[in-house]
Amino acid sequence: MADERTRYFRRLARLRRSARRWSVLGGGLGGAAVVLIPYAGLGLPDAAWAASAGGALALATWRWIDLRALAAQPAPPALDPAEAAARSRARLVAAVERLPVGPGVLAEVRRVRARVALRGTSAAEPWARLDRAALTLAGLRSRLTGLAEPAAAEAATADQSLRDLAHRVAGVERALRLAPVEARPPLADAHRALAGQLESGVAAYERLVVAAAGYVAEDARPDGAHPAASRLTEATDLLHGVASALAELRGVGDPLRTTRIH
């Protein structure tokens, strides 16, 4: 989708082409009517020529009026290149999200981009652990119902908070590399505190994922055998019984045929 300035000039060009086209058509039809009416006299075909010429000239007049009115309006300002790029990116993302596999592809692209942005910092390894734990929890989320629903909501909030903390750790670490010697001690202290919070937060998130897996396992584990296994066992026993009965019938044979032979 084009921006306002592009749409303005496109509409201006369409109106100019339409006005010229109807002007040429009206002039041609008017000239034909002027020539043919005196030549053959006034008749029904000549009325059609005159009506067509008049309609074309009227449309041409309206198009020129619309063109002048639009040209009198100031053109919308040009978009900033950064804003234009952001709009193009948003349109591309929206188009990809409409595809069946679009959301998953976009999530993976964002994940890889974030991982690349943190490469070379101390936040890269906790981020990778957080990613693995988040993917595991995403596979369990549909089964975290009942009492586990508040924990799942808390995990989603913690995930965003930890990712923001990882970016803070990486930003402080990069600033620490560029800071002068006298400014490094407070930055180093802040970096150690943030890195410690990130490490403890990721470890707590991993423990939550393990607990969620345990909850799902216990919730799905039946007291006895699994119902599917019980049904399969019953079906197997039934098939064994049918097979034994068929074997006995083949062993007995046909009693009527045996009587006739004797």
Side-chain angles (χ1 to χ4, degrees), residues 103-147:
V105 171
L106 289 176
E108 184 62 27
V109 169
R110 293 188 183 105
R111 188 178 297 113
V112 172
R113 185 176 60 185
R115 189 177 301 173
V116 170
L118 297 176
R119 184 177 297 171
T121 66
S122 59
E125 193 269 337
W127 179 280
R129 290 166 49 199
L130 179 62
D131 248 359
R132 289 193 296 268
L135 288 175
T136 304
L137 186 62
L140 302 172
R141 193 175 298 278
S142 61
R143 296 178 175 86
L144 295 176
T145 56
L147 296 176

Side-chain angles (χ1 to χ4, degrees), residues 8-24:
Y8 170 82
F9 284 110
R10 285 181 181 176
R11 187 183 174 196
L12 198 66
R14 282 197 302 268
L15 281 175
R16 185 179 291 110
R17 288 194 300 268
S18 178
R20 290 173 178 175
R21 182 169 58 250
W22 284 111
S23 297
V24 172

Side-chain angles (χ1 to χ4, degrees), residues 192-221:
R192 279 193 297 271
L194 291 174
Q197 291 178 6
L198 178 62
E199 179 65 30
S200 61
V202 172
Y205 191 91
E206 290 173 335
R207 290 194 297 270
L208 175 64
V209 173
V210 172
Y215 172 85
V216 171
E218 290 297 330
D219 186 57
R221 185 169 64 180

Side-chain angles (χ1 to χ4, degrees), residues 62-218:
W62 282 112
R63 289 293 182 270
W64 284 112
I65 292 173
D66 293 341
L67 176 63
R68 290 175 181 173
L70 183 63
Q73 300 176 7
L79 280 179
D80 182 71
E83 184 179 356
R87 290 190 179 185
S88 299
R89 185 165 55 250
R91 288 195 294 268
L92 178 61
V93 169
V96 174
E97 282 181 340
R98 286 193 292 269
L99 299 176
V101 296
V105 171
L106 289 176
E108 184 62 27
V109 169
R110 293 188 183 105
R111 188 178 297 113
V112 172
R113 185 176 60 185
R115 189 177 301 173
V116 170
L118 297 176
R119 184 177 297 171
T121 66
S122 59
E125 193 269 337
W127 179 280
R129 290 166 49 199
L130 179 62
D131 248 359
R132 289 193 296 268
L135 288 175
T136 304
L137 186 62
L140 302 172
R141 193 175 298 278
S142 61
R143 296 178 175 86
L144 295 176
T145 56
L147 296 176
E149 287 184 0
E154 185 64 28
T157 304
D159 178 79
Q160 295 298 323
S161 177
L162 288 172
R163 292 183 189 277
D164 180 69
L165 181 58
H167 284 291
R168 290 174 183 270
V169 171
V172 173
E173 186 171 339
R174 293 190 182 100
L176 183 60
R177 297 171 185 172
L178 302 175
V181 177
E182 62 274 8
R184 288 183 181 178
L187 277 179
D189 293 340
H191 178 265
R192 279 193 297 271
L194 291 174
Q197 291 178 6
L198 178 62
E199 179 65 30
S200 61
V202 172
Y205 191 91
E206 290 173 335
R207 290 194 297 270
L208 175 64
V209 173
V210 172
Y215 172 85
V216 171
E218 290 297 330

